[in-house]
Amino acid sequence: MLCPCRGKLKLLVVSLSFVILFTWLYLLVGNSENGRSLLLSACLVESTEARLLERDVLASRVREVEEENRQIRLQLSQSQGLAAQPAEGNYGNQQWVASADTGPEDVENTAEERANHSECSRSPTAEKCELIHVACVCAGHNASRDVVTLVKSILFHRRNPLHFHFITDTVANQILSTLFQSWMVPSVQVSFYDADELKSEVSWIPNKHYSGIYGLMKLTLTKALPSNLSKVIVLDTDITFATDIAELWAIFRKFTEKQVIGLVENQSDWYLGNLWKNHKPWPALGRGFNTGVILLYIERLRRIGWEQMWRLTAERELMSMLSTSLADQDIFNAFIKQNPVLVHQLPCFWNVQLSDHTRSEQCYTEVSDLKVIHWNSPKKLRVKNKHVEFFRNLYLTFLEYDGNLLRRELFGCPSQTDGRERLQQALEELDEDDQCYDFRRERIMVHRVHLYFLQYEYTPTDDGTDITLVAQFSMDRLQMLEAICKHWEGPISLALYMSDAEAQQFLRYAQASEVLKNRKNVGYHIVYKEGQFYPVNLVRNVALRNVNTPYVFLTDVDFLPMYGLYDYLRKSIVQLDMANTKKALVVPAFETLRYRLSFPKSKAELLSMLDMGTLYTFRYHVWTKGHAPTNYAKWRTATTPYKVEWEADFEPYVVVRRDCPEYDQRFVGFGWNKVSHIMELDAQEYDLIVLPNAFMIHMPHAPSFDISKFRSSPSYRYCLSTLKDEFHQDLSRKYGSAALKYLTAQRNI
């Protein structure tokens, strides 16, 4: 019985060998006739049409021979009985460094993956300027930060225009829309879709996963995304790209006519049900698939009735499973179990999963194998993995990468960022020979802004008197933050001028601070560094625009308000009828030269320290007129609020309604940034009212870099003087003859 089989096998092996040898000799001779060696031709670039035609003909012949070889291998495997089921510990039928595609292109897939180790440059994976669509579900403050890192990793490698589609809650919408508007990355479009409108589609599904209802949103993408969108890459927020996303997009071309979804096999034993006793996962095909990276052929999904199909699957399985454990992933896998022909299995390096119990180490042998890293463990960067340090460093590279460097143009592709074009036009209108060009340029620059960098919660008061402390600072004033939070219990809006790396340092500082961790009513807004000047008034305006209370206390971060000032100001707002009148309540400012100060608990204690020389009126030694109009002599004995008149260079710290004028952004660095604001308040006929029982104390710190430039640079002082004159002219045009007094007062100094 065995002899005929062995004879047949020998015949097949010999036939296969002759076919391969004949093919190799044919191609070698054909290339040699044209003066080329087959072994070198892979790294050569043909330039003439004749060579291109010849290459196409040869490629066609190679495909024919490869198809014959595939048929022979199929016969050989059948005769040898190689169709046995794999052992339980193996990863299904997937080869960990090759696609599990079946069909004529499986040889191409393997060759493509081997090209990771080739010395030849890879051919383009997508058409030049082809628009790539990326979808992501994002909700809340923390997920919004994760999305930024994901987007940075994509932008770093990309060579194609991108269109991001974000399904967001209200918080993420505000954060990401502001970020992308201010980022102004060329050839990047962004669309937002309201997650609240989709909740009813999935709210009926019980879900134990920590992602909550948003972990089910990917099931609704056929309904949420535009009807004319045919395909999209869907990503989790905890993804990091290590290659051009166009390579992933190109895999859509390998889909068969029936395939509608591309996924990487799950790299843990979760769906095998052997992680612990009585572990009962949802049904899945083999090890199941991970939905952190999905290629969705939306057009085809709609055609087969996806919305009805996944609902029927979920309803059927929930009768026995009661709830999902891995959110949408469970439902996707149950659907694929019933419809395996619809899935296109991606090579595992497109979703290297760093979860607990993962076997992702079998997915790569070299760094060049890595395409996408997925931090799909609740432990995130703390997950245990043999190479986690390498993965963590790669992630941190993008986390702290300067996002301004990603504003690069795609040559040959039209840019669709209108804001960037307007900015470029405004810059071209400036005179580069102007001595104050750098100052004028700073005024029109658009800085990247990330609102609500940390968790923020605010509940409005019923009486309409709530007030937010508004301030700005940079990394060198970070040490003041905890003290301010101890002195002011009300809401705070802080704008932080920092680099991407400094923002991450601040995040670690805030998460480690017991004081800051317990304060959820503090809004931190990052304004990313760019340019040579500190845009102090732009940063102040960011903090001012993102206030949720009817009143604001405009201060600086190096001042500590007196204990109880928050409640005192709210009472004063009612007593002085600020809701119906234009008033600016002045909080008298003092200072100490001591780094350690026993903070006064009352006005009487402050006056005693003032008499002893422990405290001084603010800037008494260097800039008296900045606060002299407060009339400290009168304040010592005052028991009721009193009105003061505006004087030149007056720059008090005030409480006003939220709809007050913004700071003038032409003033950057040191000089006139607050003076100009108080001047405009006076021009708008605000009454300046000094509060008799309020005070704040300036704490000592090293001089800022900008004040050093002001003192040492004649050019800096000249430009500041020029900007003052222009501000006066603008004020006169805006408020008419009433503004002439400011110009007169300035000339009399």
PDB file of all heavy atoms in Angstrom, residues 131-138 162-168 176 189-193 221 224-226 228-229 231-235 249 298:
ATOM      1  N   LEU A 131      -5.620  60.141   0.122  1.00  0.00           N
ATOM      2  CA  LEU A 131      -6.115  60.505   1.446  1.00  0.00           C
ATOM      3  C   LEU A 131      -6.396  59.253   2.270  1.00  0.00           C
ATOM      4  O   LEU A 131      -7.130  58.365   1.841  1.00  0.00           O
ATOM      5  CB  LEU A 131      -7.390  61.351   1.320  1.00  0.00           C
ATOM      6  CG  LEU A 131      -7.990  61.886   2.620  1.00  0.00           C
ATOM      7  CD1 LEU A 131      -7.009  62.811   3.342  1.00  0.00           C
ATOM      8  CD2 LEU A 131      -9.303  62.624   2.343  1.00  0.00           C
ATOM      9  N   ILE A 132      -5.794  59.197   3.458  1.00  0.00           N
ATOM     10  CA  ILE A 132      -5.965  58.060   4.367  1.00  0.00           C
ATOM     11  C   ILE A 132      -6.901  58.469   5.496  1.00  0.00           C
ATOM     12  O   ILE A 132      -6.699  59.501   6.146  1.00  0.00           O
ATOM     13  CB  ILE A 132      -4.612  57.610   4.924  1.00  0.00           C
ATOM     14  CG1 ILE A 132      -3.722  57.094   3.785  1.00  0.00           C
ATOM     15  CG2 ILE A 132      -4.779  56.542   6.003  1.00  0.00           C
ATOM     16  CD1 ILE A 132      -2.313  56.748   4.204  1.00  0.00           C
ATOM     17  N   HIS A 133      -7.916  57.664   5.740  1.00  0.00           N
ATOM     18  CA  HIS A 133      -8.905  57.953   6.771  1.00  0.00           C
ATOM     19  C   HIS A 133      -8.620  57.118   8.015  1.00  0.00           C
ATOM     20  O   HIS A 133      -8.401  55.905   7.936  1.00  0.00           O
ATOM     21  CB  HIS A 133     -10.317  57.652   6.258  1.00  0.00           C
ATOM     22  CG  HIS A 133     -10.763  58.571   5.152  1.00  0.00           C
ATOM     23  ND1 HIS A 133     -11.420  59.749   5.394  1.00  0.00           N
ATOM     24  CD2 HIS A 133     -10.613  58.472   3.803  1.00  0.00           C
ATOM     25  CE1 HIS A 133     -11.678  60.346   4.244  1.00  0.00           C
ATOM     26  NE2 HIS A 133     -11.201  59.598   3.257  1.00  0.00           N
ATOM     27  N   VAL A 134      -8.647  57.796   9.167  1.00  0.00           N
ATOM     28  CA  VAL A 134      -8.366  57.145  10.453  1.00  0.00           C
ATOM     29  C   VAL A 134      -9.477  57.511  11.426  1.00  0.00           C
ATOM     30  O   VAL A 134      -9.792  58.703  11.592  1.00  0.00           O
ATOM     31  CB  VAL A 134      -7.007  57.590  11.026  1.00  0.00           C
ATOM     32  CG1 VAL A 134      -6.729  56.878  12.345  1.00  0.00           C
ATOM     33  CG2 VAL A 134      -5.885  57.341  10.031  1.00  0.00           C
ATOM     34  N   ALA A 135     -10.060  56.528  12.074  1.00  0.00           N
ATOM     35  CA  ALA A 135     -11.135  56.761  13.043  1.00  0.00           C
ATOM     36  C   ALA A 135     -10.691  56.340  14.432  1.00  0.00           C
ATOM     37  O   ALA A 135      -9.905  55.396  14.589  1.00  0.00           O
ATOM     38  CB  ALA A 135     -12.399  56.005  12.641  1.00  0.00           C
ATOM     39  N   CYS A 136     -11.216  57.051  15.430  1.00  0.00           N
ATOM     40  CA  CYS A 136     -10.830  56.779  16.818  1.00  0.00           C
ATOM     41  C   CYS A 136     -11.955  57.230  17.735  1.00  0.00           C
ATOM     42  O   CYS A 136     -12.562  58.276  17.506  1.00  0.00           O
ATOM     43  CB  CYS A 136      -9.537  57.541  17.136  1.00  0.00           C
ATOM     44  SG  CYS A 136      -8.813  57.124  18.717  1.00  0.00           S
ATOM     45  N   VAL A 137     -12.222  56.444  18.754  1.00  0.00           N
ATOM     46  CA  VAL A 137     -13.195  56.818  19.786  1.00  0.00           C
ATOM     47  C   VAL A 137     -12.426  57.401  20.964  1.00  0.00           C
ATOM     48  O   VAL A 137     -11.479  56.785  21.459  1.00  0.00           O
ATOM     49  CB  VAL A 137     -14.031  55.611  20.243  1.00  0.00           C
ATOM     50  CG1 VAL A 137     -15.009  56.026  21.341  1.00  0.00           C
ATOM     51  CG2 VAL A 137     -14.773  54.999  19.063  1.00  0.00           C
ATOM     52  N   CYS A 138     -12.818  58.595  21.395  1.00  0.00           N
ATOM     53  CA  CYS A 138     -12.079  59.279  22.456  1.00  0.00           C
ATOM     54  C   CYS A 138     -13.048  59.988  23.385  1.00  0.00           C
ATOM     55  O   CYS A 138     -13.884  60.775  22.930  1.00  0.00           O
ATOM     56  CB  CYS A 138     -11.096  60.287  21.846  1.00  0.00           C
ATOM     57  SG  CYS A 138     -10.150  61.207  23.067  1.00  0.00           S
ATOM     58  N   LEU A 162      -4.006  63.067   5.610  1.00  0.00           N
ATOM     59  CA  LEU A 162      -4.775  62.287   6.574  1.00  0.00           C
ATOM     60  C   LEU A 162      -6.101  62.974   6.882  1.00  0.00           C
ATOM     61  O   LEU A 162      -6.188  64.210   6.883  1.00  0.00           O
ATOM     62  CB  LEU A 162      -3.989  62.120   7.879  1.00  0.00           C
ATOM     63  CG  LEU A 162      -2.651  61.381   7.801  1.00  0.00           C
ATOM     64  CD1 LEU A 162      -1.893  61.538   9.109  1.00  0.00           C
ATOM     65  CD2 LEU A 162      -2.866  59.904   7.498  1.00  0.00           C
ATOM     66  N   HIS A 163      -7.090  62.161   7.149  1.00  0.00           N
ATOM     67  CA  HIS A 163      -8.378  62.667   7.641  1.00  0.00           C
ATOM     68  C   HIS A 163      -8.729  61.869   8.892  1.00  0.00           C
ATOM     69  O   HIS A 163      -9.002  60.676   8.820  1.00  0.00           O
ATOM     70  CB  HIS A 163      -9.474  62.513   6.588  1.00  0.00           C
ATOM     71  CG  HIS A 163     -10.743  63.224   6.943  1.00  0.00           C
ATOM     72  ND1 HIS A 163     -11.659  63.638   5.997  1.00  0.00           N
ATOM     73  CD2 HIS A 163     -11.261  63.629   8.141  1.00  0.00           C
ATOM     74  CE1 HIS A 163     -12.676  64.241   6.591  1.00  0.00           C
ATOM     75  NE2 HIS A 163     -12.454  64.231   7.905  1.00  0.00           N
ATOM     76  N   PHE A 164      -8.673  62.548  10.046  1.00  0.00           N
ATOM     77  CA  PHE A 164      -9.006  61.904  11.312  1.00  0.00           C
ATOM     78  C   PHE A 164     -10.499  62.065  11.590  1.00  0.00           C
ATOM     79  O   PHE A 164     -11.048  63.167  11.460  1.00  0.00           O
ATOM     80  CB  PHE A 164      -8.204  62.514  12.460  1.00  0.00           C
ATOM     81  CG  PHE A 164      -6.736  62.176  12.433  1.00  0.00           C
ATOM     82  CD1 PHE A 164      -5.807  63.090  11.957  1.00  0.00           C
ATOM     83  CD2 PHE A 164      -6.285  60.946  12.878  1.00  0.00           C
ATOM     84  CE1 PHE A 164      -4.453  62.782  11.923  1.00  0.00           C
ATOM     85  CE2 PHE A 164      -4.938  60.625  12.852  1.00  0.00           C
ATOM     86  CZ  PHE A 164      -4.021  61.542  12.377  1.00  0.00           C
ATOM     87  N   HIS A 165     -11.120  60.978  12.004  1.00  0.00           N
ATOM     88  CA  HIS A 165     -12.534  60.979  12.385  1.00  0.00           C
ATOM     89  C   HIS A 165     -12.613  60.602  13.865  1.00  0.00           C
ATOM     90  O   HIS A 165     -12.290  59.466  14.231  1.00  0.00           O
ATOM     91  CB  HIS A 165     -13.320  59.978  11.543  1.00  0.00           C
ATOM     92  CG  HIS A 165     -13.234  60.218  10.066  1.00  0.00           C
ATOM     93  ND1 HIS A 165     -14.175  60.940   9.362  1.00  0.00           N
ATOM     94  CD2 HIS A 165     -12.295  59.848   9.156  1.00  0.00           C
ATOM     95  CE1 HIS A 165     -13.836  60.993   8.087  1.00  0.00           C
ATOM     96  NE2 HIS A 165     -12.690  60.336   7.933  1.00  0.00           N
ATOM     97  N   PHE A 166     -13.033  61.551  14.704  1.00  0.00           N
ATOM     98  CA  PHE A 166     -13.081  61.313  16.145  1.00  0.00           C
ATOM     99  C   PHE A 166     -14.523  61.233  16.621  1.00  0.00           C
ATOM    100  O   PHE A 166     -15.303  62.166  16.414  1.00  0.00           O
ATOM    101  CB  PHE A 166     -12.360  62.431  16.902  1.00  0.00           C
ATOM    102  CG  PHE A 166     -10.873  62.462  16.687  1.00  0.00           C
ATOM    103  CD1 PHE A 166     -10.275  63.506  16.004  1.00  0.00           C
ATOM    104  CD2 PHE A 166     -10.065  61.444  17.170  1.00  0.00           C
ATOM    105  CE1 PHE A 166      -8.910  63.542  15.799  1.00  0.00           C
ATOM    106  CE2 PHE A 166      -8.692  61.460  16.970  1.00  0.00           C
ATOM    107  CZ  PHE A 166      -8.111  62.506  16.280  1.00  0.00           C
ATOM    108  N   ILE A 167     -14.861  60.109  17.256  1.00  0.00           N
ATOM    109  CA  ILE A 167     -16.149  59.979  17.954  1.00  0.00           C
ATOM    110  C   ILE A 167     -15.874  60.369  19.397  1.00  0.00           C
ATOM    111  O   ILE A 167     -15.129  59.668  20.101  1.00  0.00           O
ATOM    112  CB  ILE A 167     -16.715  58.545  17.855  1.00  0.00           C
ATOM    113  CG1 ILE A 167     -17.116  58.230  16.406  1.00  0.00           C
ATOM    114  CG2 ILE A 167     -17.919  58.389  18.752  1.00  0.00           C
ATOM    115  CD1 ILE A 167     -16.004  57.762  15.535  1.00  0.00           C
ATOM    116  N   THR A 168     -16.420  61.489  19.856  1.00  0.00           N
ATOM    117  CA  THR A 168     -16.014  62.071  21.131  1.00  0.00           C
ATOM    118  C   THR A 168     -17.195  62.443  22.011  1.00  0.00           C
ATOM    119  O   THR A 168     -18.312  62.659  21.529  1.00  0.00           O
ATOM    120  CB  THR A 168     -15.193  63.354  20.896  1.00  0.00           C
ATOM    121  OG1 THR A 168     -16.018  64.311  20.206  1.00  0.00           O
ATOM    122  CG2 THR A 168     -13.957  63.084  20.062  1.00  0.00           C
ATOM    123  N   LEU A 176      -9.773  68.404  21.662  1.00  0.00           N
ATOM    124  CA  LEU A 176      -9.135  68.044  20.396  1.00  0.00           C
ATOM    125  C   LEU A 176      -9.426  69.050  19.290  1.00  0.00           C
ATOM    126  O   LEU A 176      -8.564  69.302  18.433  1.00  0.00           O
ATOM    127  CB  LEU A 176      -9.573  66.641  19.973  1.00  0.00           C
ATOM    128  CG  LEU A 176      -9.124  65.509  20.902  1.00  0.00           C
ATOM    129  CD1 LEU A 176      -9.656  64.166  20.408  1.00  0.00           C
ATOM    130  CD2 LEU A 176      -7.606  65.458  21.007  1.00  0.00           C
ATOM    131  N   GLN A 189      -7.001  66.771   7.878  1.00  0.00           N
ATOM    132  CA  GLN A 189      -8.387  67.162   8.134  1.00  0.00           C
ATOM    133  C   GLN A 189      -8.879  66.442   9.387  1.00  0.00           C
ATOM    134  O   GLN A 189      -8.432  65.340   9.689  1.00  0.00           O
ATOM    135  CB  GLN A 189      -9.277  66.787   6.954  1.00  0.00           C
ATOM    136  CG  GLN A 189      -8.844  67.371   5.619  1.00  0.00           C
ATOM    137  CD  GLN A 189      -9.694  66.834   4.481  1.00  0.00           C
ATOM    138  OE1 GLN A 189     -10.921  66.904   4.503  1.00  0.00           O
ATOM    139  NE2 GLN A 189      -9.027  66.259   3.476  1.00  0.00           N
ATOM    140  N   VAL A 190      -9.803  67.081  10.087  1.00  0.00           N
ATOM    141  CA  VAL A 190     -10.343  66.488  11.309  1.00  0.00           C
ATOM    142  C   VAL A 190     -11.858  66.664  11.320  1.00  0.00           C
ATOM    143  O   VAL A 190     -12.367  67.754  11.037  1.00  0.00           O
ATOM    144  CB  VAL A 190      -9.742  67.147  12.567  1.00  0.00           C
ATOM    145  CG1 VAL A 190     -10.260  66.445  13.818  1.00  0.00           C
ATOM    146  CG2 VAL A 190      -8.231  67.103  12.534  1.00  0.00           C
ATOM    147  N   SER A 191     -12.570  65.593  11.623  1.00  0.00           N
ATOM    148  CA  SER A 191     -14.028  65.636  11.771  1.00  0.00           C
ATOM    149  C   SER A 191     -14.403  65.042  13.118  1.00  0.00           C
ATOM    150  O   SER A 191     -13.752  64.111  13.597  1.00  0.00           O
ATOM    151  CB  SER A 191     -14.722  64.859  10.642  1.00  0.00           C
ATOM    152  OG  SER A 191     -14.412  65.416   9.376  1.00  0.00           O
ATOM    153  N   PHE A 192     -15.468  65.596  13.714  1.00  0.00           N
ATOM    154  CA  PHE A 192     -15.922  65.127  15.018  1.00  0.00           C
ATOM    155  C   PHE A 192     -17.365  64.644  14.928  1.00  0.00           C
ATOM    156  O   PHE A 192     -18.180  65.208  14.192  1.00  0.00           O
ATOM    157  CB  PHE A 192     -15.803  66.247  16.064  1.00  0.00           C
ATOM    158  CG  PHE A 192     -14.388  66.646  16.363  1.00  0.00           C
ATOM    159  CD1 PHE A 192     -13.779  67.675  15.673  1.00  0.00           C
ATOM    160  CD2 PHE A 192     -13.655  65.970  17.331  1.00  0.00           C
ATOM    161  CE1 PHE A 192     -12.468  68.037  15.935  1.00  0.00           C
ATOM    162  CE2 PHE A 192     -12.344  66.325  17.602  1.00  0.00           C
ATOM    163  CZ  PHE A 192     -11.751  67.358  16.896  1.00  0.00           C
ATOM    164  N   TYR A 193     -17.661  63.605  15.715  1.00  0.00           N
ATOM    165  CA  TYR A 193     -18.988  63.003  15.743  1.00  0.00           C
ATOM    166  C   TYR A 193     -19.392  62.835  17.206  1.00  0.00           C
ATOM    167  O   TYR A 193     -18.595  62.369  18.024  1.00  0.00           O
ATOM    168  CB  TYR A 193     -18.989  61.658  15.017  1.00  0.00           C
ATOM    169  CG  TYR A 193     -18.358  61.740  13.634  1.00  0.00           C
ATOM    170  CD1 TYR A 193     -16.978  61.569  13.481  1.00  0.00           C
ATOM    171  CD2 TYR A 193     -19.119  62.021  12.511  1.00  0.00           C
ATOM    172  CE1 TYR A 193     -16.382  61.670  12.232  1.00  0.00           C
ATOM    173  CE2 TYR A 193     -18.527  62.116  11.253  1.00  0.00           C
ATOM    174  CZ  TYR A 193     -17.158  61.946  11.121  1.00  0.00           C
ATOM    175  OH  TYR A 193     -16.566  62.048   9.889  1.00  0.00           O
ATOM    176  N   LEU A 221     -19.745  52.509  13.877  1.00  0.00           N
ATOM    177  CA  LEU A 221     -19.046  53.366  12.918  1.00  0.00           C
ATOM    178  C   LEU A 221     -19.746  53.439  11.567  1.00  0.00           C
ATOM    179  O   LEU A 221     -19.682  54.474  10.892  1.00  0.00           O
ATOM    180  CB  LEU A 221     -17.607  52.884  12.736  1.00  0.00           C
ATOM    181  CG  LEU A 221     -16.680  53.129  13.939  1.00  0.00           C
ATOM    182  CD1 LEU A 221     -15.294  52.567  13.665  1.00  0.00           C
ATOM    183  CD2 LEU A 221     -16.592  54.613  14.251  1.00  0.00           C
ATOM    184  N   ALA A 224     -22.132  56.163  12.220  1.00  0.00           N
ATOM    185  CA  ALA A 224     -21.576  57.457  12.626  1.00  0.00           C
ATOM    186  C   ALA A 224     -20.834  58.157  11.497  1.00  0.00           C
ATOM    187  O   ALA A 224     -20.953  59.376  11.333  1.00  0.00           O
ATOM    188  CB  ALA A 224     -20.635  57.257  13.815  1.00  0.00           C
ATOM    189  N   LEU A 225     -20.075  57.401  10.706  1.00  0.00           N
ATOM    190  CA  LEU A 225     -19.206  58.013   9.697  1.00  0.00           C
ATOM    191  C   LEU A 225     -19.979  58.347   8.426  1.00  0.00           C
ATOM    192  O   LEU A 225     -21.037  57.777   8.160  1.00  0.00           O
ATOM    193  CB  LEU A 225     -18.040  57.072   9.387  1.00  0.00           C
ATOM    194  CG  LEU A 225     -17.108  56.774  10.573  1.00  0.00           C
ATOM    195  CD1 LEU A 225     -15.995  55.821  10.160  1.00  0.00           C
ATOM    196  CD2 LEU A 225     -16.538  58.041  11.164  1.00  0.00           C
ATOM    197  N   PRO A 226     -19.464  59.266   7.611  1.00  0.00           N
ATOM    198  CA  PRO A 226     -20.173  59.708   6.398  1.00  0.00           C
ATOM    199  C   PRO A 226     -20.496  58.557   5.455  1.00  0.00           C
ATOM    200  O   PRO A 226     -19.727  57.595   5.331  1.00  0.00           O
ATOM    201  CB  PRO A 226     -19.185  60.692   5.753  1.00  0.00           C
ATOM    202  CG  PRO A 226     -18.320  61.167   6.870  1.00  0.00           C
ATOM    203  CD  PRO A 226     -18.195  60.009   7.812  1.00  0.00           C
ATOM    204  N   ASN A 228     -20.415  58.477   2.299  1.00  0.00           N
ATOM    205  CA  ASN A 228     -19.538  58.379   1.129  1.00  0.00           C
ATOM    206  C   ASN A 228     -18.132  57.888   1.481  1.00  0.00           C
ATOM    207  O   ASN A 228     -17.252  57.845   0.626  1.00  0.00           O
ATOM    208  CB  ASN A 228     -19.436  59.734   0.428  1.00  0.00           C
ATOM    209  CG  ASN A 228     -18.862  60.817   1.336  1.00  0.00           C
ATOM    210  OD1 ASN A 228     -18.722  60.620   2.540  1.00  0.00           O
ATOM    211  ND2 ASN A 228     -18.536  61.959   0.761  1.00  0.00           N
ATOM    212  N   LEU A 229     -17.920  57.523   2.736  1.00  0.00           N
ATOM    213  CA  LEU A 229     -16.620  57.000   3.169  1.00  0.00           C
ATOM    214  C   LEU A 229     -16.611  55.489   2.945  1.00  0.00           C
ATOM    215  O   LEU A 229     -17.437  54.772   3.515  1.00  0.00           O
ATOM    216  CB  LEU A 229     -16.376  57.331   4.642  1.00  0.00           C
ATOM    217  CG  LEU A 229     -15.026  56.925   5.229  1.00  0.00           C
ATOM    218  CD1 LEU A 229     -13.888  57.613   4.493  1.00  0.00           C
ATOM    219  CD2 LEU A 229     -14.967  57.260   6.716  1.00  0.00           C
ATOM    220  N   LYS A 231     -13.729  53.231   3.203  1.00  0.00           N
ATOM    221  CA  LYS A 231     -12.909  52.413   4.102  1.00  0.00           C
ATOM    222  C   LYS A 231     -12.162  53.311   5.076  1.00  0.00           C
ATOM    223  O   LYS A 231     -11.892  54.477   4.797  1.00  0.00           O
ATOM    224  CB  LYS A 231     -11.942  51.529   3.318  1.00  0.00           C
ATOM    225  CG  LYS A 231     -11.071  52.217   2.286  1.00  0.00           C
ATOM    226  CD  LYS A 231     -10.250  51.193   1.514  1.00  0.00           C
ATOM    227  CE  LYS A 231      -9.343  51.849   0.475  1.00  0.00           C
ATOM    228  NZ  LYS A 231     -10.080  52.352  -0.687  1.00  0.00           N
ATOM    229  N   VAL A 232     -11.801  52.726   6.217  1.00  0.00           N
ATOM    230  CA  VAL A 232     -11.176  53.504   7.279  1.00  0.00           C
ATOM    231  C   VAL A 232     -10.344  52.587   8.167  1.00  0.00           C
ATOM    232  O   VAL A 232     -10.676  51.412   8.356  1.00  0.00           O
ATOM    233  CB  VAL A 232     -12.258  54.241   8.117  1.00  0.00           C
ATOM    234  CG1 VAL A 232     -13.155  53.247   8.850  1.00  0.00           C
ATOM    235  CG2 VAL A 232     -11.635  55.220   9.096  1.00  0.00           C
ATOM    236  N   ILE A 233      -9.244  53.136   8.684  1.00  0.00           N
ATOM    237  CA  ILE A 233      -8.452  52.449   9.704  1.00  0.00           C
ATOM    238  C   ILE A 233      -8.970  52.884  11.064  1.00  0.00           C
ATOM    239  O   ILE A 233      -9.040  54.080  11.347  1.00  0.00           O
ATOM    240  CB  ILE A 233      -6.959  52.790   9.577  1.00  0.00           C
ATOM    241  CG1 ILE A 233      -6.404  52.319   8.233  1.00  0.00           C
ATOM    242  CG2 ILE A 233      -6.157  52.175  10.715  1.00  0.00           C
ATOM    243  CD1 ILE A 233      -4.979  52.764   7.956  1.00  0.00           C
ATOM    244  N   VAL A 234      -9.315  51.937  11.910  1.00  0.00           N
ATOM    245  CA  VAL A 234      -9.860  52.236  13.234  1.00  0.00           C
ATOM    246  C   VAL A 234      -8.818  51.870  14.284  1.00  0.00           C
ATOM    247  O   VAL A 234      -8.289  50.746  14.280  1.00  0.00           O
ATOM    248  CB  VAL A 234     -11.173  51.461  13.487  1.00  0.00           C
ATOM    249  CG1 VAL A 234     -11.799  51.899  14.803  1.00  0.00           C
ATOM    250  CG2 VAL A 234     -12.150  51.681  12.336  1.00  0.00           C
ATOM    251  N   LEU A 235      -8.531  52.815  15.186  1.00  0.00           N
ATOM    252  CA  LEU A 235      -7.458  52.618  16.163  1.00  0.00           C
ATOM    253  C   LEU A 235      -7.941  52.895  17.574  1.00  0.00           C
ATOM    254  O   LEU A 235      -8.764  53.793  17.801  1.00  0.00           O
ATOM    255  CB  LEU A 235      -6.287  53.554  15.857  1.00  0.00           C
ATOM    256  CG  LEU A 235      -5.656  53.456  14.461  1.00  0.00           C
ATOM    257  CD1 LEU A 235      -4.648  54.579  14.257  1.00  0.00           C
ATOM    258  CD2 LEU A 235      -4.994  52.098  14.268  1.00  0.00           C
ATOM    259  N   TRP A 249      -2.659  50.990   5.313  1.00  0.00           N
ATOM    260  CA  TRP A 249      -3.754  51.354   4.404  1.00  0.00           C
ATOM    261  C   TRP A 249      -3.686  50.522   3.117  1.00  0.00           C
ATOM    262  O   TRP A 249      -4.723  50.120   2.570  1.00  0.00           O
ATOM    263  CB  TRP A 249      -3.657  52.835   4.096  1.00  0.00           C
ATOM    264  CG  TRP A 249      -4.713  53.398   3.199  1.00  0.00           C
ATOM    265  CD1 TRP A 249      -4.607  53.652   1.865  1.00  0.00           C
ATOM    266  CD2 TRP A 249      -6.046  53.789   3.566  1.00  0.00           C
ATOM    267  NE1 TRP A 249      -5.777  54.191   1.373  1.00  0.00           N
ATOM    268  CE2 TRP A 249      -6.679  54.282   2.394  1.00  0.00           C
ATOM    269  CE3 TRP A 249      -6.764  53.775   4.754  1.00  0.00           C
ATOM    270  CZ2 TRP A 249      -7.991  54.759   2.398  1.00  0.00           C
ATOM    271  CZ3 TRP A 249      -8.074  54.252   4.761  1.00  0.00           C
ATOM    272  CH2 TRP A 249      -8.675  54.733   3.592  1.00  0.00           C
ATOM    273  N   ILE A 298     -16.018  49.900   5.163  1.00  0.00           N
ATOM    274  CA  ILE A 298     -17.345  50.347   5.601  1.00  0.00           C
ATOM    275  C   ILE A 298     -18.388  50.192   4.499  1.00  0.00           C
ATOM    276  O   ILE A 298     -19.535  49.813   4.766  1.00  0.00           O
ATOM    277  CB  ILE A 298     -17.263  51.810   6.084  1.00  0.00           C
ATOM    278  CG1 ILE A 298     -16.479  51.858   7.386  1.00  0.00           C
ATOM    279  CG2 ILE A 298     -18.637  52.402   6.273  1.00  0.00           C
ATOM    280  CD1 ILE A 298     -16.501  53.190   8.063  1.00  0.00           C
TER     281      ILE A 298
END
